[in-house]
Amino acid sequence: MTDDFMGPPWQADWTDEATSNYNALPPQARTMIEAARAELVIAKDPYFRGIDTDRDLPTGMNVEPVQSTRPSGEHVLYFDHGRGWLRYHFVPRTTDPQIVIDECFWQ
């Protein structure tokens, strides 16, 4: 084991509720969700901190913290111009950092 913090691509795990919601959606919505998930797992920083954080995201996607007072807490990745979102948190373990998707929604 080294002192280096592992980087992307991150592991992504889904809660049972998020998985159920994902499975209930139509195929075109699942395709958009997979694209949003792909952006999460390849991001250098899963919290997209800093100025112009959404600059590298595809059109119609943006990220923000659920609570501005907790910048390291849960975040929301909006996709399809705000019609859908993934609520997630990042577990920055040294040996196995991962993103946990808590909620999946599309309307």
Side-chain angles (χ1 to χ4, degrees):
M1 186 164 121
T2 67
D3 292 332
D4 296 330
F5 185 72
M6 295 175 66
W10 309 107
Q11 298 296 317
D13 194 14
W14 296 66
T15 63
D16 289 341
E17 181 179 353
T19 301
S20 295
N21 293 345
Y22 172 81
N23 290 335
L25 293 172
Q28 73 271 19
R30 286 189 293 219
T31 299
M32 288 185 279
I33 290 168
E34 284 301 317
R37 182 198 152 286
E39 291 296 328
L40 278 179
V41 299
I42 63 170
K44 185 174 183 178
D45 181 348
Y47 287 142
F48 297 85
R49 296 182 184 109
I51 298 171
D52 294 330
T53 56
D54 303 335
R55 178 181 45 189
D56 296 331
L57 288 174
T59 302
M61 286 187 194
N62 66 306
V63 173
E64 65 184 38
V66 172
Q67 292 179 320
S68 61
T69 57
R70 297 188 64 214
S72 294
E74 289 188 335
H75 275 58
V76 177
L77 170 63
Y78 295 99
F79 61 92
D80 194 19
H81 301 280
R83 290 187 65 203
W85 62 79
L86 297 176
R87 185 174 44 88
Y88 68 94
H89 65 277
F90 181 62
V91 183
R93 296 183 292 239
T94 302
T95 56
D96 186 26
Q98 76 179 69
I99 294 169
V100 178
I101 300 170
D102 299 306
E103 181 179 18
C104 171
F105 179 82
W106 182 79
Q107 58 185 355

